[in-house]
Amino acid sequence: MTLYYRPLVVAEPASDTLPLAGGACLFRDVAVLERGQPSHVIPARDVPPAILARLTAPRAPVAGLTMDRARIMGILNVTPDSFSDGGDHADLASATARALAMQADGAEIIDIGGESTRPGAVTVAKAAEISRTAPVIAAIRAQSAVAISIDTRKADVAKAAIAAGASMVNDVAAFSYDPALAQVTADAGLPVCLMHAQGDPATMQNDPRYDDVLLDVYDFLATRIALAEAAGIARDAIVIDPGIGFGKTQDHNLTLLRNVSLFHALGCPILLGASRKRFIGTIGGGQDAKDRVAGSVAVALHGLSQGVQILRVHDTFATKQALALWSAINGTDSR
């Protein structure tokens, strides 16, 4: 019998509230989940000590950034076919300018991808992916000390990116596509984001199914964290991402978002990447991905309210503005 513990965030501090992951969010009670059983709520003090320690402990810095407040990761796709911005930044000059503009707008990590992983996308050859990403990383690094993440599933692409100045690896396959990427990351001493995805991008939206999407994703990430640790990557250097939209229906996405605080029990910073995704347009309107800014910001603010530490977004200024207002209203720090 495996039990799972989801902290229930509260708005006001009290004598018995605890900090969630060392950040501004607080909790006093925890929902206990078990496969095939109704959940029930217990006081946080009754949670097993090892789990409670993971729920409350401050997270270690990632790519030089403390995790005591939300950080914005700006998306820079240097691809011809990404779902939202494919072709917008395909040349070196425009890609570099976009990265610097996102940094000026509040992004503290620039996530650079040279292979679209949208539903239906096909695999890109390593050489092509390297030629798209490494020069852009080098050009950004020549002008800025901003943290740069390489969004790739492939070890050779990551090697080239690291040589060009990348400071983090973001693998949507969590080392399952190219197992050699784990050792490349460990040898470089860089942090990594491990994301859940069901299936390959080409087929992942073809009728995705789960026994229990929330607990299945949690168990997958727990297993991949253990694999990363076995490769020599410290848990303190691991970020986790539940993979909104990657092999998931709208109901799956909403279930994960409603319960995203569960993933704090893994003891790693949480990255939320829902920006401009299809379910936002389905629920809120916006047939074109670029018309989903307000809905994307709404999802980001929900993540913030649940202690998510990294928000991966296209619209950096809108997100930064929303975070500043949310933090001012709630008396927390968004700087």
Side-chain angles (χ1 to χ4, degrees), residues 17-105:
T17 52
L18 298 170
L20 182 56
C25 292
L26 303 169
F27 71 105
R28 66 162 61 88
D29 296 313
V30 174
V32 182
L33 311 179
E34 182 182 355
R35 289 182 182 272
Q37 300 296 325
S39 65
H40 63 280
V41 175
I42 62 172
R45 64 176 180 270
D46 293 338
V47 173
I51 299 296
L52 187 60
R54 285 185 179 173
L55 289 174
T56 58
R59 304 307 187 231
V62 172
L65 301 170
T66 62
M67 293 287 106
D68 56 346
R69 61 180 177 84
R71 304 289 184 166
I72 294 175
M73 173 185 276
I75 300 168
L76 180 58
N77 290 315
V78 287
T79 59
D81 59 343
S82 290
F83 82 96
S84 172
D85 55 357
D88 287 358
H89 312 295
D91 66 272
L92 182 61
S94 65
T96 306
R98 176 59 180 159
L100 297 176
M102 285 195 292
Q103 183 185 8
D105 284 344

Side-chain angles (χ1 to χ4, degrees), residues 57-279:
R59 304 307 187 231
V62 172
L65 301 170
T66 62
M67 293 287 106
D68 56 346
R69 61 180 177 84
R71 304 289 184 166
I72 294 175
M73 173 185 276
I75 300 168
L76 180 58
N77 290 315
V78 287
T79 59
D81 59 343
S82 290
F83 82 96
S84 172
D85 55 357
D88 287 358
H89 312 295
D91 66 272
L92 182 61
S94 65
T96 306
R98 176 59 180 159
L100 297 176
M102 285 195 292
Q103 183 185 8
D105 284 344
E108 295 176 279
I109 309 172
I110 306 299
D111 190 45
I112 299 175
E115 177 185 57
S116 174
T117 50
R118 62 176 172 76
V122 297
T123 301
V124 172
K126 289 184 290 186
E129 193 175 341
I130 291 170
S131 70
R132 293 173 180 175
T133 55
V136 174
I137 294 170
I140 297 167
R141 182 57 71 231
Q143 300 182 57
S144 172
V146 68
I148 299 174
S149 171
I150 177 63
D151 180 359
T152 188
R153 304 179 290 168
K154 305 182 184 81
D156 288 345
V157 177
K159 283 182 185 178
I162 293 165
S167 41
M168 179 177 176
V169 173
N170 181 15
D171 182 7
V172 300
F175 299 149
S176 64
Y177 180 83
D178 185 352
L181 181 52
Q183 199 59 54
V184 168
T185 306
D187 290 346
L190 294 187
V192 63
C193 181
L194 303 176
M195 194 194 82
H196 174 276
Q198 186 183 90
D200 188 84
T203 59
M204 65 186 181
Q205 290 304 111
N206 295 346
D207 194 26
R209 298 182 182 218
Y210 298 87
D211 292 332
D212 182 314
V213 65
L214 181 64
L215 303 186
D216 288 356
V217 171
Y218 184 98
D219 286 347
F220 171 88
L221 291 172
T223 299
R224 304 317 289 179
I225 290 169
L227 181 145
E229 289 182 304
I233 303 170
R235 186 180 286 260
D236 280 353
I238 299 171
V239 176
I240 52 172
D241 178 352
I244 301 299
F246 281 78
K248 296 167 184 81
T249 65
Q250 178 174 298
D251 285 344
H252 294 150
N253 291 329
L254 294 175
T255 295
L256 291 168
L257 288 169
R258 290 186 193 109
N259 297 278
V260 70
S261 66
L262 172 72
F263 298 101
H264 289 294
L266 290 168
C268 301
I270 300 170
L271 183 151
L272 183 62
S275 181
R276 298 185 182 179
K277 290 192 174 175
R278 181 176 299 176
F279 80 98

Side-chain angles (χ1 to χ4, degrees), residues 297-317:
V297 170
V299 175
L301 289 180
H302 168 75
L304 182 66
S305 75
Q306 299 299 304
V308 167
Q309 290 93 349
I310 301 175
L311 300 168
R312 183 179 182 273
V313 303
H314 296 86
D315 303 291
T316 48
F317 179 78

